[in-house]
Amino acid sequence: MLSLRPYQQAAIGAIYAYFEDHKGNPLIVIPTAGGKSLVLATFSEGVLKAWPDQRILIVTHVRELIAQNHAEMIGLWPEAPAGIYSAGLGKREADARILFAGIQSVHRKAAEIGHCDLVLIDEAHLIPVASATTYRRFLGDLTAINPKLKVIGFTATPYRLDSGMLHEGDGALFTDIAYEVSVRDLIDSGYLCPLVSKQPKTKLDVTGVGSRGGEFIASELQAAVDKEAITRAAVSEIMAYGADRKSWLAFCSGVDHARHVAEEFRSRGISCETIFGDTPKDERDGIIAAFKRQEIRVLASMGVLTTGFNAPAVDLIAMLRPTKSAGLYVQMAGRGTRLAPGKQNCLVLDFAGNVSRHGPIDLVRPKRPGEGGDGVAPTKVCPECDSIIPLAASECPDCGFVFPAREVKIAPTAAMLPVLSPKHPPWLAVNDVMYFRHEKAGGLPSLKVTYRCGLSAYSEWICFEHSGYARRKAEEWWQLRASGTPFPLTVAEALARRAELRRPSAIMVETVGRFFEVKRARFEACPSPASAPSTTGKPATMAGSMQSSPHRTPAATPAGTGSAAVSARTSITGGKA
């Protein structure tokens, strides 16, 4: 019997909790290799055992994911009334109560599929925001059949290059993030494999490469990076760094580029094959199977292997494809986070500058449409082992090299690590706390809490008057600071009772793109509540260019999940229980 991990249980509980307070289309954000298939299967089993007349459609775009999700369902529940509708898999079981389908196969077949109560979309970031698209037309046709249709998205990257966050902006299909857990949390908990990075000497130069739709123009990109001397140098570094590693992935900038990379590996006696979007199905399956058996050491690809590819032994990733897409960057790096016997970590060699372009994969903040700037992360390279580390670090965590002391007037308080953020961001001593009412045009008020830490200030927003997830987080925040006292129902009441709040002795702050996010607070040796907070005056001035963080959504951990808890809840599809 498969057992859920705590965060998987929390994700399922968050779906039910969401529909108790909302009527929108939520997102569930779980990193690559975090077990979305098991969450999909367990949630579906719980729904059907509580409400047997419900009908669930689980749709995605890659046949490997369709087969993987269906297999997870049967493994969990062998008697599941599950079927597949996919031309690539040769099955069209349209009447199944739980139907796993490929969007390319069903997008014109809504009438054949018929009434559905729930649509669960895996890899939801692939749905464009525009209404006249395959996914959106298909969902519109299903909604015409059942106006009470609920849509739930599952993804590791809740954003798109062309439109930003999936639940923001006009025309967004999704309305909220109901649950999110980070790569860092799952690595720290031992559920995912750590990523490490070294700075290769070879760098792909994209100077002069144009952009279209926010991404590098494909033909210009390949022309810029597909140079024989550069490929030779990059392959030499991959071989040197990967001497003790068994399964390598190379993400390339074009079909010709991938072929040239593969030819260079083969000329050095390293087995390497290529896979592209038009590689025939049987040939592709054979290559991937041989790679998983470690008969092939390297796969060089272009445009594939970033979703639906499950090869746990991958322990080296060579990024030979520069990209402005934060989602693509995260998906590439995520191919190395699966656990495997004997695998301690996965090495990421970033020849493409993607780490500097986007920052750590667990702290990526995608640009909003129209937002400019291609800044780089403040990092440095260890001269002893080539590890990429934060600019402010005094010692290399990999080899122990101690950097010469340098005089600084104000030490940085947060810096960004390539590939993965620091395991333990610094605790900042809190000198003062201030509370303010924050008004947002067209929205509910919130309590703005500003912490002064030396010459810097950091803020968070507490949503007492909101509902759902934001309200639950506000309750947790109040309980931590004023345990045993009634929860305030309004911002005005919270301000009136601010003397009840303990002041943190320190806060933990993480860098999120250009912003800072207050992640945790601790309360050792705090002043008494009556003397702790400042309640008057203007917010503290930011030091340098630091900005206070926008309110962000961390992971929720609701209790009462799984099929046993389902029967006690109201039907999420509108009272068919």
Side-chain angles (χ1 to χ4, degrees):
M1 179 67 179
L2 296 172
S3 59
L4 293 178
R5 298 168 176 175
Y7 68 89
Q8 294 170 329
Q9 293 175 333
I12 293 171
I15 297 174
Y16 288 104
Y18 178 85
F19 286 111
E20 290 174 358
D21 301 315
H22 297 76
K23 295 184 178 180
N25 298 326
L27 286 163
I28 302 297
V29 182
I30 299 176
T32 299
K36 290 193 298 294
S37 294
L38 183 56
V39 173
L40 287 162
T42 306
F43 174 68
S44 300
E45 178 193 20
V47 169
L48 283 198
K49 287 186 174 179
W51 304 287
D53 62 344
Q54 299 287 288
R55 185 135 188 273
I56 301 173
L57 174 64
I58 301 174
V59 62
T60 189
H61 72 298
V62 179
R63 64 183 177 86
E64 288 84 358
L65 274 178
I66 301 168
Q68 176 182 310
N69 290 340
H70 179 267
E72 193 78 58
M73 180 85 257
I74 299 303
L76 174 70
W77 183 18
E79 300 80 22
I84 291 174
Y85 198 114
S86 167
L89 295 174
K91 295 184 177 181
R92 290 179 172 80
E93 300 163 338
D95 295 331
R97 189 156 291 279
I98 305 176
L99 181 59
F100 295 84
I103 185 61
Q104 298 91 339
S105 298
V106 300
H107 71 98
R108 297 181 185 275
K109 305 292 179 61
E112 181 181 353
I113 302 301
H115 180 104
C116 293
D117 299 286
L118 289 170
V119 174
L120 313 182
I121 300 176
D122 197 4
E123 305 293 341
H125 57 277
L126 294 172
I127 303 177
V129 70
S131 59
T133 59
T134 299
Y135 260 113
R136 299 296 288 266
R137 286 195 300 267
F138 176 61
L139 293 174
D141 292 342
L142 289 181
T143 303
I145 297 171
N146 177 19
K148 294 183 179 181
L149 180 73
K150 298 288 190 299
V151 178
I152 305 171
F154 293 78
T155 183
T157 50
Y159 37 77
R160 282 180 58 88
L161 179 63
D162 58 353
S163 55
M165 299 300 290
L166 298 184
H167 63 298
E168 297 179 351
D170 295 338
L173 170 64
F174 299 101
T175 51
D176 305 272
I177 294 179
Y179 179 81
E180 182 172 13
V181 64
S182 75
V183 174
R184 165 55 70 194
D185 289 340
L186 298 194
I187 288 175
D188 290 350
S189 300
Y191 295 123
L192 293 182
C193 181
L195 299 176
V196 297
S197 57
K198 302 292 184 182
Q199 178 65 66
K201 294 180 175 60
T202 306
K203 297 181 180 180
L204 304 182
D205 186 1
V206 294
T207 303
V209 176
S211 297
R212 183 180 297 125
E215 177 62 296
F216 293 115
I217 296 173
S219 59
E220 294 183 14
L221 179 64
Q222 176 165 258
V225 305
D226 188 16
K227 309 286 189 183
E228 184 177 354
I230 294 174
T231 298
R232 259 200 321 266
V235 167
S236 293
E237 289 197 73
I238 294 169
M239 291 177 63
Y241 279 119
D244 297 326
R245 295 176 181 269
K246 299 178 180 179
S247 293
W248 310 347
L249 283 183
F251 291 104
C252 303
S253 296
V255 171
D256 289 342
H257 185 217
R259 287 176 175 151
H260 294 153
V261 168
E263 289 167 2
E264 186 63 30
F265 274 120
R266 292 179 196 130
S267 73
R268 312 280 189 96
I270 301 293
S271 56
C272 181
E273 295 293 339
T274 56
I275 292 183
F276 310 113
D278 60 355
T279 301
K281 173 182 174 296
D282 291 343
E283 180 183 348
R284 174 188 174 119
D285 290 347
I287 291 172
I288 291 176
F291 179 71
K292 290 181 178 181
R293 293 192 302 267
Q294 298 183 3
E295 296 169 3
I296 298 171
R297 194 169 190 181
V298 192
L299 285 186
S301 72
M302 163 59 195
V304 295
L305 304 186
T306 54
T307 56
F309 176 69
N310 181 352
V314 169
D315 55 3
L316 186 150
I317 292 173
M319 291 189 183
L320 294 164
R321 178 182 180 177
T323 180
K324 292 187 175 182
S325 167
L328 178 57
Y329 160 61
V330 172
Q331 293 285 353
M332 286 192 290
R335 297 307 109 190
T337 57
R338 295 186 185 276
L339 300 173
K343 177 181 172 183
Q344 296 183 340
N345 56 50
C346 178
L347 175 63
V348 177
L349 297 176
D350 181 24
F351 299 90
N354 292 326
V355 170
S356 294
R357 195 171 288 115
H358 300 291
I361 64 169
D362 57 319
L363 297 181
V364 163
R365 177 190 172 271
K367 294 181 178 65
R368 267 61 175 176
E371 185 175 87
D374 290 314
V376 298
T379 60
K380 60 187 176 184
V381 178
C382 174
E384 292 294 324
C385 70
D386 294 328
S387 290
I388 312 173
I389 61 178
L391 184 64
S394 60
E395 182 177 328
C396 176
D398 285 351
C399 70
F401 175 81
V402 178
F403 287 86
R406 62 188 182 93
E407 184 179 353
V408 293
K409 294 182 179 180
I410 301 176
T413 57
M416 292 170 65
L417 264 181
V419 185
L420 202 61
S421 68
K423 182 174 181 179
H424 299 296
W427 285 100
L428 306 178
V430 174
N431 305 115
D432 199 4
V433 184
M434 295 176 291
Y435 303 96
F436 304 91
R437 181 183 179 88
H438 177 74
E439 300 281 355
K440 183 178 180 180
L444 295 171
S446 60
L447 178 70
K448 181 180 179 181
V449 183
T450 299
Y451 303 94
R452 293 195 63 178
C453 304
L455 297 178
S456 302
Y458 306 90
S459 296
E460 61 180 340
W461 285 258
I462 313 303
C463 303
F464 294 100
E465 300 182 28
H466 291 60
S467 60
Y469 177 78
R471 168 65 174 264
R472 293 196 300 276
K473 296 305 294 182
E475 291 172 352
E476 292 174 9
W477 185 92
W478 184 269
Q479 179 68 19
L480 185 63
R481 290 158 176 77
S483 179
T485 65
F487 177 72
L489 300 180
T490 65
V491 173
E493 182 184 350
L495 284 169
R497 295 170 53 196
R498 55 185 172 245
E500 300 175 22
L501 297 170
R502 295 187 299 158
R503 189 184 80 191
S505 59
I507 57 173
M508 181 182 286
V509 175
E510 283 189 0
T511 307
V512 182
R514 300 185 290 114
F515 299 94
F516 296 91
E517 179 181 340
V518 178
K519 297 292 290 186
R520 295 173 58 189
R522 67 185 184 194
F523 295 86
E524 296 93 353
C526 291
S528 62
S531 62
S534 289
T535 58
T536 59
K538 297 180 179 180
T541 302
M542 299 297 176
S545 61
M546 292 183 180
Q547 301 181 43
S548 57
S549 160
H551 180 72
R552 290 175 58 84
T553 309
T557 53
T561 59
S563 59
V566 170
S567 59
R569 301 179 183 273
T570 304
S571 170
I572 62 176
T573 55
K576 284 193 175 185

